[in-house]
Amino acid sequence: MTNSLKLGFTSFDRLRGVLVVFCSEGLKFGPATQKVLLPIGDLHRRAAAADRFTGKKASALDIIAPTGLNVPRLVIVGTGKERELKERDLVRLGGVAMGKIPIAAPQATIFAEFAGGALKGEQVAHLALGGRLRAYTFDRYKTKRKEDEERAKKMEVNFACAGSAAAEKAWARTMGVADGVVLARDLTNEPANVLYPGEFARRASALRRLGLIVEVLDVAAMKKLGMGALLGVGQGSAHEPKLVVMRWNGGKRGADPIAFIGKGVCFDTGGISIKPAQGMEDMKGDMAGAACVVGLMQALAARKAKVNVVGAIGLVENMPDGKAQRPGDIVTTMSGQTVEVINTDAEGRLVLADVLHYINKRFKPKFMIDLATLTGAIMVALGQEYAGVFSNDDKLAERLSKAGEATDERVWRMPLGPEYDKIIDSKIADMKNTGGRFAGSITAAQFLQRFVSKTPWVHLDIAGTALGSPQTDINKSWSSGWGVRLLDRLVEDYYER
Ligand code: BES
Ligand code: MN
Ligand code: ZN
């Protein structure tokens, strides 16, 4: 049942299928658009008046079988006031345009021109990115459909532009990012009976085809390293934990890498501290941080990023079982620090503690950024609009915030400090894995900070942004693939030589 979308670039004189054009506030069109609309006279202006369409940003007008034009449907998408348009607006408008193409249409042409004239190659690529992400569906498990859900078997969408060579060149780069987001969404949407640690490791290993070096550490290897915290979380599951280390060496030989670390809890039942049934199915997505890291590594490799990067994901399943870890158990982490497990549902930090320490020790990275669906509390604080940022490095946090504004994957800085840190001190071990009801996201971050030493570090709590995402113009799926675009941008703007 999977449908395929073919994106291409063409010139303004090749019209095929549904036609989508843009206009700014007050129904102003660019020259190529005016030319193509000439044969319909004032039809679109009358339709606009009838529908009170004025060209407001992201609004749209549908004209079916327009007399004079040999297309099944003409869609006009408003851009609003054009002087204000930023990259994130282009991406969004690409999503709106794609969303107006009926799912059963086999062909469409999107005019990459605004009232101010034809878009530059890079801008066309931004439109196409929005289009690609909007068209994403996770439908591999649907074996039948209702009549009105029937899709075209193959859909071909062409962006008409002034210079298709420039657009194609820009897209070749942006497409890698789009593919990375799609991969992250796919992995996160995949159910836990299919995507358990071993299978996740296999899918990450498939990135070797892009030139990545991928190592998979099994339980024996992790035991040898002393990863008692990660292994404790996984010990109640029939699926063995895995630790995957991916490397992309596109930078100077021997230069210190940058590192991304993902929480990969393939399913989080809570363990012995079991979660309530209501909504527990969403915990198949408790590996969204790991999915983002894999999507990012794919994006960086696909565009041959000029930087040395390590991506590491700790893969476990948190289950209740006769062999499962108990509340009150004390585990010894690879760092040597001991943890009293107060609540087995605070498992993500236990997994990350060992992976952060291992990556820091082995690679001495310039910085580490971890991504984790770590706490429900971050949703209480920030909702689903911003991810929480916790950092020991102001410059890194600031750069991340700028990359967030550019890509519209926004982040909000949260505090850290000794007053919060002491909340997780334990009477009988070095620390506890929970700090109680207050400041839940912060005490979780304090826990992680105990495993990063002085290395510049950012923790992104993505529990609100990665899963059950609000429907937007560029995502209709449960999983957003959040973070791939953000981190790709951070790397591109600040760390490629
Ligand atoms: N994976 C959850 C956090 C989560 C909740 C992610 C909802 C996405 C949506 C995490 O492992 C967890 O269970 N956290 C607990 C921590 C508590 C036991 C200290 C929480 O947030 O309730
Ligand atoms: Mn949990
Ligand atoms: Zn979890």
Side-chain angles (χ1 to χ4, degrees), residues 247-324:
R247 277 180 288 164
W248 171 255
N249 291 322
K252 286 203 189 78
R253 210 198 171 97
D256 287 343
I258 58 179
F260 299 95
I261 289 137
K263 169 178 173 182
V265 176
C266 293
F267 195 82
D268 180 12
T269 63
I272 296 299
S273 315
I274 198 163
K275 288 179 180 296
Q278 175 83 44
M280 203 207 274
E281 67 279 9
D282 282 358
M283 286 302 107
K284 71 173 184 175
D286 206 18
M287 31 52 70
C292 173
V293 171
V294 174
L296 174 69
M297 295 306 284
Q298 151 143 344
L300 294 175
R303 67 175 181 74
K304 301 208 172 2
K306 293 187 176 60
V307 63
N308 297 338
V309 195
V310 175
I313 55 178
L315 302 170
V316 299
E317 186 179 55
N318 188 19
M319 297 293 268
D321 181 79
K323 292 205 192 92

Side-chain angles (χ1 to χ4, degrees), residues 204 405 434:
E405 290 304 318
T434 61

Side-chain angles (χ1 to χ4, degrees), residues 263 268 275 283 286 343 345-347 349 373-376 379 434 463 467:
K263 169 178 173 182
D268 180 12
K275 288 179 180 296
M283 286 302 107
D286 206 18
N343 188 320
D345 197 11
E347 83 298 340
R349 62 199 76 180
T373 47
L374 204 64
T375 66
M379 288 186 260
T434 61
L467 310 178

Side-chain angles (χ1 to χ4, degrees), residues 136-190:
Y136 174 85
T137 54
F138 185 74
D139 55 6
R140 67 178 58 151
Y141 297 105
K142 276 199 175 285
T143 65
K144 49 177 175 282
R145 279 185 200 285
K146 306 201 177 77
E147 223 169 291
D148 60 345
E149 289 180 340
E150 210 57 71
R151 297 175 164 270
K153 279 216 177 54
K154 275 208 183 109
M155 189 191 257
E156 189 187 334
V157 176
N158 288 299
F159 290 84
C161 43
S164 55
E168 253 156 54
K169 195 169 157 222
W171 177 239
R173 190 181 171 89
T174 309
M175 188 173 65
V177 179
D179 289 346
V181 177
V182 165
L183 176 59
R185 284 183 186 175
D186 274 346
L187 289 167
T188 309
N189 281 322
E190 203 66 89

Side-chain angles (χ1 to χ4, degrees), residues 344-355:
T344 63
D345 197 11
E347 83 298 340
R349 62 199 76 180
L350 294 167
V351 172
L352 289 173
D354 277 335
V355 184

Side-chain angles (χ1 to χ4, degrees), residues 123-142:
Q123 295 176 305
V124 182
H126 293 323
L127 268 192
L129 173 64
R132 174 73 191 88
L133 296 182
R134 171 59 177 258
Y136 174 85
T137 54
F138 185 74
D139 55 6
R140 67 178 58 151
Y141 297 105
K142 276 199 175 285

